[in-house]
Amino acid sequence: MRHGWPIALAGAPVLLPVETAISPAAQAPHMLLGASRAVTLKLTNQRDAAPPHAPVLIRGADDFALAAARDIADPSRDLVSPLKGPFRAETLEWDEAAAAALDLARLAGILPAFLVAPHMGDPAGADQLAEPVTLDPADLDCWKDSGALTIATRATLPVAACEDAQIVAFRSTNDLREHVALIIGEQNADRPPLVRLHSECLTGDILGSLKCDCGPQLDAALAAMAKEAEQGGWGVLLYLRQEGRGIGLINKLRAYRLQDQGYDTVDANRRLGLPDEARDFPVAARMLELLHVGAIRLMTNNPAKVAALSSAGVNISQRVPHQLPANPHNARYLDTKRDRAGHLLD
């Protein structure tokens, strides 16, 4: 999909990813979008109460050419090309395959939008793209199987917070992302460790972005675990390769651009047609299982994270508050986490 190849999901017509398609003559009478993006297109028969990430099949007055389809799919183009439509949402008879396609687009880090049953134009120009890659929606279930995760290797890793830390790398046969755990202090089965789930944030962790609180949260978590180790306890940092809460780096930066236009974090993701929370928490539960960790003390201000881990089988004996001061650049972001995502203040 990142190469722009069409895909054929069992039970569905051929789908061509709008963002990456490289057949300029491609066009189609229908497009597939997420409901949240469809709402921003003012579809008159789109119910506001529809699930925000459900697939929506739309039709326009004319076939969708690829250039026009990109304007429809990408909200960052809304100011350049504000007049779109009219569109009509039509009955979707292959919901399971459509939902799988949107999920696959998110995993690929591209916009969740497809031309449906596209005409490729000149077959000579279409080249090898005339034959779509065939998939089954059940393939996505395999990707979600955290049981395939195993420990690949481990080593000592002196870090600024603790010179006696150990790093453990995890790999899955179903996923190219490699998650890691950093163990601070001596592992003790009789004492619940201080645990922090930290989702990868290139901009915050590496570049020192002030738009979020990820970098300071990471540093504060490691410092708290080091202090715990000094007092005979221990800690585990699970570093999950789930950039942008699971939507990927490029789409996260697209959301940043929308935030520059005045949208908050939640609305920016939804205008992109993407979930505002798409992280895979069962993979964190599997990592703890492989580390032989029993009960944990979880550092978080997010009740949804507590609920997700608990439902994945993690025994959380205590929620430990993890709140850092705001700065002028991330104050609205932190307010959004509190007011719209239900994060606690302490």
Side-chain angles (χ1 to χ4, degrees):
M1 289 172 64
R2 294 182 79 161
H3 284 289
W5 298 349
I7 61 171
L9 287 156
V14 172
L15 302 173
L16 184 68
V18 166
E19 179 184 346
T20 54
I22 56 175
S23 181
Q27 56 182 325
H30 291 93
M31 278 186 68
L32 182 71
L33 299 168
S36 55
R37 178 58 182 157
V39 167
T40 68
L41 297 174
K42 308 299 183 186
L43 289 174
T44 56
N45 60 339
Q46 174 62 43
R47 294 181 294 110
D48 288 340
H53 314 306
V56 174
L57 185 69
I58 69 169
R59 182 172 193 134
D62 301 306
D63 283 1
F64 297 104
L66 194 55
R70 285 175 176 153
D71 284 342
I72 294 166
D74 188 349
S76 69
R77 301 178 186 235
D78 285 349
L79 295 179
V80 178
S81 129
L83 300 177
K84 301 182 178 72
F87 305 120
R88 181 165 55 112
E90 298 198 341
T91 302
L92 184 58
E93 298 178 349
W94 34 281
D95 295 71
E96 182 182 1
L102 295 183
D103 233 357
L104 287 167
R106 176 183 62 80
L107 296 175
I110 64 174
L111 291 169
F114 297 86
L115 292 181
V116 180
H119 310 294
M120 291 299 188
D122 181 4
D127 198 19
Q128 76 271 23
L129 300 185
E131 292 298 327
V133 176
T134 303
L135 302 168
D136 190 290
D139 294 340
L140 197 59
D141 294 331
C142 295
W143 182 88
K144 293 177 179 178
D145 179 16
S146 60
L149 194 75
T150 59
I151 292 178
T153 191
R154 64 175 73 209
T156 56
L157 182 70
V159 295
C162 176
E163 295 184 3
D164 298 322
Q166 182 183 64
I167 189 167
V168 184
F170 300 81
R171 178 180 287 161
S172 172
T173 55
N174 299 331
D175 187 0
L176 293 178
R177 296 174 301 176
E178 295 166 334
H179 308 288
V180 299
L182 193 67
I183 300 174
I184 304 291
E186 192 69 29
Q187 187 162 346
N188 181 352
D190 297 325
R191 183 164 177 169
L194 195 59
V195 172
R196 172 70 183 167
L197 271 62
H198 189 89
S199 297
E200 178 181 34
C201 179
L202 173 71
T203 50
D205 299 343
I206 306 301
L207 302 179
S209 168
L210 299 177
K211 283 182 68 72
C212 64
D213 57 347
C214 298
Q217 278 192 333
L218 176 60
D219 294 339
L222 290 174
M225 291 175 190
K227 184 176 181 180
E228 186 81 6
E230 290 173 358
Q231 298 171 353
W234 60 298
V236 181
L237 176 84
L238 300 182
Y239 195 87
L240 306 175
R241 305 295 300 280
Q242 304 188 81
E243 180 77 56
R245 293 178 178 263
I247 66 172
L249 177 62
I250 301 299
N251 283 329
K252 182 180 86 167
L253 297 182
R254 287 187 171 118
Y256 278 3
R257 183 172 180 179
L258 290 172
Q259 290 170 36
D260 291 340
Q261 297 173 16
Y263 297 100
D264 68 23
T265 309
V266 173
D267 286 336
N269 281 36
R270 291 179 180 176
R271 288 189 76 84
L272 287 164
L274 293 163
D276 39 271
E277 177 57 86
R279 285 175 290 184
D280 177 13
F281 291 114
V283 74
R286 173 62 176 166
M287 292 166 73
L288 291 170
E289 178 187 0
L290 291 170
L291 292 172
H292 305 292
V293 175
I296 68 170
R297 298 163 56 224
L298 183 65
M299 298 183 71
T300 185
N301 278 41
N302 185 356
K305 187 182 288 187
V306 175
L309 282 176
S310 296
S311 65
V314 178
N315 179 5
I316 301 174
S317 63
Q318 181 187 5
R319 182 189 69 82
V320 179
H322 193 50
Q323 180 81 11
L324 292 161
N327 69 57
H329 301 278
N330 70 11
R332 188 186 181 200
Y333 164 75
L334 296 180
D335 288 345
T336 300
K337 288 206 296 185
R338 179 196 65 208
D339 299 337
R340 304 197 65 183
H343 286 222
L344 304 173
L345 293 177
D346 53 27

Short mmCIF file of all heavy atoms in Angstrom, two decimals, residues 49 61 92 100 113 120-121 199 218 236 238 264 279 293 336:
data_model
loop_
_atom_site.label_atom_id
_atom_site.label_comp_id
_atom_site.label_asym_id
_atom_site.label_seq_id
_atom_site.Cartn_x
_atom_site.Cartn_y
_atom_site.Cartn_z
N ALA A 49 -24.09 10.38 14.86
CA ALA A 49 -23.87 9.37 15.88
C ALA A 49 -23.18 8.11 15.34
O ALA A 49 -22.97 7.17 16.08
CB ALA A 49 -25.20 8.98 16.52
N ALA A 61 -20.92 13.33 -8.16
CA ALA A 61 -21.66 13.51 -9.40
C ALA A 61 -20.89 12.92 -10.57
O ALA A 61 -21.49 12.39 -11.53
CB ALA A 61 -21.92 15.00 -9.63
N LEU A 92 -23.01 0.12 2.06
CA LEU A 92 -21.75 -0.63 2.02
C LEU A 92 -22.05 -2.08 2.40
O LEU A 92 -22.46 -2.35 3.54
CB LEU A 92 -20.75 -0.01 2.98
CG LEU A 92 -19.34 -0.59 3.02
CD1 LEU A 92 -18.68 -0.56 1.66
CD2 LEU A 92 -18.49 0.16 4.04
N ALA A 100 -11.21 -3.43 7.50
CA ALA A 100 -9.84 -3.94 7.46
C ALA A 100 -8.95 -3.06 6.59
O ALA A 100 -7.79 -2.79 6.92
CB ALA A 100 -9.83 -5.38 6.95
N ALA A 113 -8.02 6.32 2.81
CA ALA A 113 -8.90 6.67 1.70
C ALA A 113 -8.52 5.85 0.47
O ALA A 113 -7.33 5.69 0.17
CB ALA A 113 -8.80 8.16 1.39
N MET A 120 -7.81 1.99 -14.29
CA MET A 120 -6.41 2.43 -14.25
C MET A 120 -6.02 3.29 -15.44
O MET A 120 -4.89 3.75 -15.52
CB MET A 120 -5.49 1.21 -14.17
CG MET A 120 -5.58 0.47 -12.86
SD MET A 120 -5.13 1.50 -11.46
CE MET A 120 -5.11 0.27 -10.17
N GLY A 121 -6.95 3.48 -16.39
CA GLY A 121 -6.58 4.25 -17.56
C GLY A 121 -5.86 3.37 -18.56
O GLY A 121 -6.20 2.21 -18.76
N SER A 199 4.81 5.43 24.60
CA SER A 199 4.72 5.24 23.16
C SER A 199 5.72 6.15 22.46
O SER A 199 5.86 7.33 22.81
CB SER A 199 3.30 5.56 22.67
OG SER A 199 2.39 4.65 23.25
N LEU A 218 9.06 10.87 29.74
CA LEU A 218 10.03 9.78 29.66
C LEU A 218 11.14 9.98 30.68
O LEU A 218 11.50 9.06 31.43
CB LEU A 218 10.59 9.71 28.24
CG LEU A 218 11.69 8.67 27.98
CD1 LEU A 218 11.20 7.26 28.27
CD2 LEU A 218 12.19 8.78 26.54
N VAL A 236 10.12 -0.82 35.30
CA VAL A 236 10.16 -1.30 33.92
C VAL A 236 9.56 -0.23 33.01
O VAL A 236 8.40 0.17 33.19
CB VAL A 236 9.37 -2.61 33.74
CG1 VAL A 236 9.46 -3.09 32.28
CG2 VAL A 236 9.87 -3.69 34.68
N LEU A 238 8.34 0.31 29.34
CA LEU A 238 8.01 -0.36 28.08
C LEU A 238 7.96 0.72 27.00
O LEU A 238 7.09 1.60 27.02
CB LEU A 238 6.66 -1.06 28.19
CG LEU A 238 6.53 -2.14 29.27
CD1 LEU A 238 5.15 -2.77 29.21
CD2 LEU A 238 7.61 -3.20 29.11
N ASP A 264 -7.98 20.99 17.90
CA ASP A 264 -7.28 20.32 18.98
C ASP A 264 -6.84 18.93 18.52
O ASP A 264 -7.11 18.52 17.38
CB ASP A 264 -8.12 20.28 20.26
CG ASP A 264 -9.36 19.39 20.16
OD1 ASP A 264 -9.40 18.48 19.31
OD2 ASP A 264 -10.31 19.60 20.94
N ARG A 279 -3.48 2.77 19.84
CA ARG A 279 -2.35 1.97 20.33
C ARG A 279 -2.77 0.54 20.65
O ARG A 279 -3.93 0.28 20.99
CB ARG A 279 -1.75 2.64 21.57
CG ARG A 279 -0.91 3.86 21.24
CD ARG A 279 -0.42 4.57 22.48
NE ARG A 279 -1.51 5.24 23.19
CZ ARG A 279 -1.32 6.00 24.26
NH1 ARG A 279 -0.10 6.17 24.75
NH2 ARG A 279 -2.34 6.60 24.85
N VAL A 293 6.62 -10.58 34.82
CA VAL A 293 6.18 -9.54 35.75
C VAL A 293 4.75 -9.84 36.17
O VAL A 293 3.87 -10.05 35.32
CB VAL A 293 6.26 -8.15 35.09
CG1 VAL A 293 5.68 -7.08 36.02
CG2 VAL A 293 7.70 -7.82 34.73
N THR A 336 -6.70 19.29 26.42
CA THR A 336 -7.49 18.36 25.59
C THR A 336 -7.43 16.95 26.15
O THR A 336 -8.45 16.24 26.18
CB THR A 336 -6.97 18.39 24.14
OG1 THR A 336 -7.09 19.71 23.61
CG2 THR A 336 -7.77 17.43 23.26
#
